[in-house]
Amino acid sequence: MSLLTQLRQQNPVVLTVANMVTPADVANGLNVLGASPIMSKAVEEAEDMVKLAQAVTINLGTVDAGQRKEMLAVLDAAEKYHVPAVFDPVACAASRYRQETAAELLNTYRFACIRGNAGEIAALAGCDWQSRGIDAGSGTGDLTAIAKKCAAKYQTVVAMTGESDIITDGQELVEIPFGSPLFAVHVGTGDMFSSIIAAFVALGGSPLDAAASACEVFALCGQIAAKEAQTPSRWYELFLDKLYQASDDLLASWKKELQKEEER
Amino acid sequence: MSLLTQLRQQNPVVLTVANMVTPADVANGLNVLGASPIMSKAVEEAEDMVKLAQAVTINLGTVDAGQRKEMLAVLDAAEKYHVPAVFDPVACAASRYRQETAAELLNTYRFACIRGNAGEIAALAGCDWQSRGIDAGSGTGDLTAIAKKCAAKYQTVVAMTGESDIITDGQELVEIPFGSPLFAVHVGTGDMFSSIIAAFVALGGSPLDAAASACEVFALCGQIAAKEAQTPSRWYELFLDKLYQASDDLLASWKKELQKEEER
Amino acid sequence: MSLLTQLRQQNPVVLTVANMVTPADVANGLNVLGASPIMSKAVEEAEDMVKLAQAVTINLGTVDAGQRKEMLAVLDAAEKYHVPAVFDPVACAASRYRQETAAELLNTYRFACIRGNAGEIAALAGCDWQSRGIDAGSGTGDLTAIAKKCAAKYQTVVAMTGESDIITDGQELVEIPFGSPLFAVHVGTGDMFSSIIAAFVALGGSPLDAAASACEVFALCGQIAAKEAQTPSRWYELFLDKLYQASDDLLASWKKELQKEEER
């Protein structure tokens, strides 16, 4: 049975410690896919929330002192109850404060997966890269080598998303094509993606397989939507609806359609 | 004159102490319907904000220590200035912290209405129920009895929303059909609904009638939108536009259309 | 070269100290137009964030004690690094707390531009006006005189948006028609607009020209979208897509189309 089918049957609860910009995107993405989103701000309920969840996502997007405490409380509980965690290091190179917070989290806890763009993964790996704010930026490094280095450094699976998605545990490598440039135009798709990876990780199998499956579903839905709409707002509406409709059969036929097109 | 027509004429200001996930949904829902949304985070301005408003909504969705203080300040002012309040006990069974916060609010203040799904209302009523995170969950209890018990316990009107909406003050009972399953797929419709009930309550009539009218408008717009779109993102767009267009005549014709269909 | 073309080439980073209701609208508006949004809540990273940015926007929408400190830190850094700042005095007359916060900011820092509706600008200028919550309200004053008074008082450019947009530095005056009433129905267009003005101001030219260019692009996209869709949710989707597609040629042809229509 595919992981997507399992996800729709098990309806895992994903707790996201979210940024303030895109929590609705994250919640709706999880919801249309068949997972169940919860969010919380109170450190007092961190443990109870983690006990409800089958996976958690930590999003660095608008971290401040209060949320930093909440992240630590959630990750403590996740460790205690063996709930896997995904980390989204949003704009982690943009400030010393984010760098330190990311380092504290990564050095204290072990994540099932880190999902970020090339600039964020390069910063975590300690590689040179030119990034700017929340954008991926551009660099000359070998993307695969950077992803592997980051995965090895933190003993985790890295999903580096972009034109192609690169997923690696430091040794094995999966590459998923089908990235659409429209993903970068709608703010919040990255945040949503990290929480969707968590929903796949929640199923309990290998994080590498979970991240690869999530990437394929996400990218296929995005690119098939981009065939129908080339403007970002209309595209985003279609993309969410594709996530909602996606089944193993539909995904297979979309994949065939997109591969045929590429061959032309 | 229908309550909807009154609402469009009076344009009541509704202050929502909102969760961090869906404030834009709440504000847009109020706005397209003809009410005027305001939101605030500062306890320092709670009293001034309440003085501007004709109704307030307290949403438990992402309450933390700071917001708990704000809720208390808003409810103090609402009591002082006789501004009716609606309570949305989002996921109130999910943590001890939420349970305690909900109990504190309900035991200290009298609400005009509580709006929640079956799981939330059952938890407040002290009935057994299997709920999970923000989802309604499933239970075997008699929904009507649970709603009545909750209303009687807190001397308020309960609007329990789901496939059918059940509205009761503990004695009288109104049931509104037309619920669409798409409501549960778009995160934020529940939060929006609670604030829309507040906009109807703001008109000053009976809270039972206000909640029943709000439920009918909300459910009809949702189900007529679901006739045109079966996917959640497109449905949500249409739903908001139906709320914007809704008039007494249109609602009557939509109702006839939906009833005819059901008879087939 | 038009300012819009420059903006798309330079892709300026705009830091918004955002309200909790509409940050996604602000970020997506900047993104589709070709600017790069960043947001932050931590006072610890205020200086680093400002150093990344070519302009900042301060939005008063849901200010509280924590965010007030962040605003001061961001504006201190903006002064230090000569990064221009735009102020959006959301509902500044709604509470004594907002009045005092607005006064503190305006008396301590010099802004490149203030963007608000008639009620907000009148309150800052110290003119009589009847406003209500976040709505513009209605008044009998001479809008142009109010805008000029506000601009002179704070030695800044004022962009007073409404049916027509009035832009002035206290002396020179630009008026942009093409306002659509649908702007007022979708919550968040005003917040987005202030940050888009900041994106134009970021290019380094005269703030008056920047605000006027931003207003024209914004209003044309809004009104051309309103020709295709008369309901707010569908309109908003189209509006964002028009911002994404807008080029000098397209804007010129839309302008001609709208002017022809008006003559009829």
Side-chain angles (χ1 to χ4, degrees), chain A residues 9-27:
Chain A
Q9 281 179 4
Q10 294 181 29
N11 189 228
V13 173
V14 176
L15 170 64
T16 302
V17 182
N19 67 50
M20 69 166 281
V21 186
T22 61
D25 291 310
V26 172

Side-chain angles (χ1 to χ4, degrees), chain A residues 20-21 61-65 94-98 132-135 182 184-187 230-234 237, chain C residues 10-11 13 18-20 23-24 27-28 31-32 36-39 41-42 44-45 48-49 52 237 240-241 244-245:
Chain A
M20 69 166 281
V21 186
T62 52
V63 65
D64 63 6
S95 73
R96 180 177 287 272
Y97 181 70
R98 285 183 196 225
R132 228 176 52 127
I134 62 164
D135 296 333
L182 286 164
V185 182
H186 187 93
V187 175
Q230 285 77 46
T231 51
S233 195
R234 176 81 185 119
E237 186 182 277
Chain C
Q10 294 181 30
N11 189 228
V13 174
N19 68 50
M20 68 167 281
N28 279 312
N31 227 18
V32 296
S36 185
I38 48 171
M39 291 180 187
K41 288 182 76 172
E44 294 89 339
E45 65 178 2
D48 283 351
M49 286 289 163
L52 275 178
E237 185 181 279
L240 277 181
D241 286 345
Y244 177 73
Q245 297 171 305

